[in-house]
């Protein structure tokens, strides 16, 4: 026994070690998972800013690639009215365009023009310069400008024209302009400005080339349009498509530092392109803000890890419970063997003593023969009853037999049992009532065993001065209801679910003489076997009531 207890104690140590290991792994997994999520979010913070950048400059790119080239559709024939309509559409749809300068250009080989850019015999000069913008009431305002008024943009204008006339030198009949040529010649970008000249047809450019290189070509004039768009990057509408990562996104000058003196947990930036190149997008998030995102992503991960942890703990608990059950079963089996040995040992010892007395006696009187015969018969009956009970219990539990049901009257069945009780237990205060209308259809032998067990228990587990038993037999619409009421020592409510288990014995002073713990388990198996039910209700030191529910038989005739 000590060896087995030691073995179970070692198993408990293993379970404790397992639970400690699982708990450590749980904590480590939680810490590691959170660290991984922190690193993931920091990586996304630095890498996914391109998505915000693309969406924020999308409107500028559409304006640059789609709206500006519309100027070429007019082939230089834009006047102030049409230019005003075009400028109004651009200014209202693209808030980052702060001002538009429209240069209504003339390309000529006349020597009479004094202002402009002359290259060989070709002269390019602005007939009109018109400025377009929106006032504080969002109304379009146009204003004619003189060359002196636009001196700030003279260098940009000159560079644009020089690129154009320089390209004319390379034009020939086989010239085909690529997108790269178009961007190099007809676009000009600098910080805060985009210039665009409408693209002439190749035939027109060949004409310009002759006008530029041949002296005696007749005087000719052609119209060209040049637009200069003044860009304010601060008006770029930032589209924060990742609000869970970036708390603040602002457009700031590229030479600036932090947007404020406040220290941010995470910071990154991305320069704007082309005409916006003096500015950058600055991305900042505070620790509190980032922690919200970390916690949001960590929650499902932590729940998953916790679920695995709980499952492992549940497995450990089931193992622990199984060990406890096995330990109790081992103890019950050990007690069963000891008690069964005692139960068998007593009648065997009596039989052996009686046999030795008979063998050693020279002469036996008739009285002695009768006495020894009665002793041997009684002890043999005890052994036979115990063996039959064990055999019947095993057969019923394994369902290897079928109930031998027969119809019997309730009073007919009970009368000999109750008479035997009075003879067997003369000091028992015994009474009964029978109030039924139907006969029973039962296995009388098995049901007799139930009655005998419950009657014997009522007598055995009562104090000498409280030997009392009342049996009440009634019926309802479905069942016979048989109650066995005593005034014995009672049963603790905590043991109600255990008393019908095999080998279980209630620990009290009446069980010190030995009991194999099969009585009530045998009763329950029999009642269940016959399709009935047994229940117990008890109060310590006041008494116990066992109630049988057995299916009704046919009605009495």
């Amino acid at each position: 026994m000590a060896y087995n207890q030691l073995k179970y104690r070692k198993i408990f140590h293993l379970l404790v070690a397992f639970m400690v290991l699982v708990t450590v792994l749980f904590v480590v997994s939680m810490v590691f998972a959170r660290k991984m999520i922190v690193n993931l979010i920091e990586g996304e913070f630095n890498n996914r800013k391109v998505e915000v950048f693309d969406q924020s400059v999308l409107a500028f790119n559409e304006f640059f690639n789609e709206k500006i080239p519309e100027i070429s559709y007019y082939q230089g024939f834009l006047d102030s009215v049409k230019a005003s309509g075009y400028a109004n559409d651009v200014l209202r749809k693209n808030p980052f365009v702060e001002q538009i300068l429209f240069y209504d250009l003339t390309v000529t080989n006349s020597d009479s023009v004094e202002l402009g850019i002359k290259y060989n015999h070709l002269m390019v000069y602005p007939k009109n310069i018109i400025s377009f913008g929106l006032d504080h009431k969002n109304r379009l305002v146009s204003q004619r400008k003189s060359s002196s008024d636009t001196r700030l943009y003279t260098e940009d204008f000159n560079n644009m024209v020089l690129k154009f006339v320089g390209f004319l030198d390379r034009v020939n009949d086989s010239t085909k302009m690529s997108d790269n040529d178009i961007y190099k010649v007809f676009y000009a970008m600098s910080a805060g400005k985009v210039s665009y000249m409408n693209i002439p047809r190749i035939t027109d450019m060949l004409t310009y080339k002759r006008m530029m290189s041949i002296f005696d070509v007749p005087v000719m004039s052609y119209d060209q349009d040049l637009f200069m768009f003044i860009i304010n990057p601060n008006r770029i509408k930032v589209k924060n498509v990742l609000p869970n990562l970036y708390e603040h996104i602002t457009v700031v000058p590229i030479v600036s530092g932090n947007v404020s003196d406040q220290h941010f947990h995470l910071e990154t930036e991305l320069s704007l392109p082309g005409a916006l190149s003096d500015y950058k997008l600055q991305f900042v998030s505070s620790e509190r803000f980032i922690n919200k995102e970390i916690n949001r992503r960590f929650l499902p991960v932590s729940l998953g890890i916790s679920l695995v942890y709980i499952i492992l703990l549940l497995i450990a608990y089931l193992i622990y419970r199984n060990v406890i059950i096995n330990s109790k079963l081992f103890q019950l089996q050990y007690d069963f063997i000891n008690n069964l040995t005692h139960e068998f040992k007593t009648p065997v010892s009596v039989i052996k003593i009686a046999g030795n007395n008979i063998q050693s006696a020279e002469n036996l009187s008739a009285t002695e023969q009768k006495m020894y015969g009665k002793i041997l018969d009684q002890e043999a009956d005890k052994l036979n009853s115990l063996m039959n009970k064990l055999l019947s219990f095993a057969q019923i539990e394994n369902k290897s037999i079928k109930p031998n049901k027969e119809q019997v009257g309730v009073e007919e069945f009970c009368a000999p049992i109750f008479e035997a009780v009075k003879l067997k237990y003369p000091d028992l205060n015994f009474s009964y009532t029978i109030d039924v209308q139907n006969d029973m259809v039962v296995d009388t032998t098995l049901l007799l065993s139930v009655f005998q067990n419950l009657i014997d228990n009522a007598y055995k587990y009562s104090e000498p001065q409280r030997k009392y038993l009342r049996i009440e037999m009634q019926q309802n619409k479905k069942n016979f209801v048989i109650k066995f009421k005593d005034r014995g020592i009672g049963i603790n409510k905590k043991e109600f679910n255990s008393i019908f288990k095999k080998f279980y014995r209630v620990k009290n002073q009446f069980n010190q003489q030995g009991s194999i713990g099969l009585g009530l388990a045998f009763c329950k198996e029999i009642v269940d076997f016959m399709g009935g039910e047994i229940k117990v209700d008890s109060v310590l030191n006041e008494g116990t009531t066992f109630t049988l529910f057995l299916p009704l038989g046919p009605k009495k005739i």
Side-chain angles (χ1 to χ4, degrees), residues 358 363-375:
I358 293 172
N363 293 309
L364 290 175
S365 64
T367 303
E368 289 175 330
Q369 289 179 354
K370 187 175 180 180
M371 179 189 69
Y372 285 124
K374 184 177 179 181
I375 291 173

Side-chain angles (χ1 to χ4, degrees), residues 418-470:
F418 296 165
E419 288 299 322
V421 170
K422 295 175 181 178
L423 293 174
K424 187 176 182 180
Y425 302 120
D427 58 336
L428 177 65
N429 183 0
F430 176 71
S431 63
Y432 66 89
T433 59
I434 299 176
D435 182 14
V436 297
Q437 294 80 43
N438 292 48
D439 288 339
M440 291 192 296
V441 179
V442 294
D443 187 317
T444 55
T445 302
L446 294 178
L447 186 58
L448 174 62
S449 297
V450 174
F451 270 65
Q452 287 176 341
N453 267 287
L454 294 178
I455 292 170
D456 290 344
N457 283 351
Y459 184 85
K460 178 180 178 181
Y461 295 105
S462 297
E463 299 288 348
Q465 67 276 14
R466 293 170 59 87
K467 302 288 186 181
Y468 171 89
L469 175 63
R470 178 171 178 78

Side-chain angles (χ1 to χ4, degrees), residues 84 106 145 206 211 271 379 524:
S84 175
T106 297
K145 300 283 187 178
L206 290 172
M211 291 166 58
S271 298
E379 299 305 319
K524 179 172 174 53

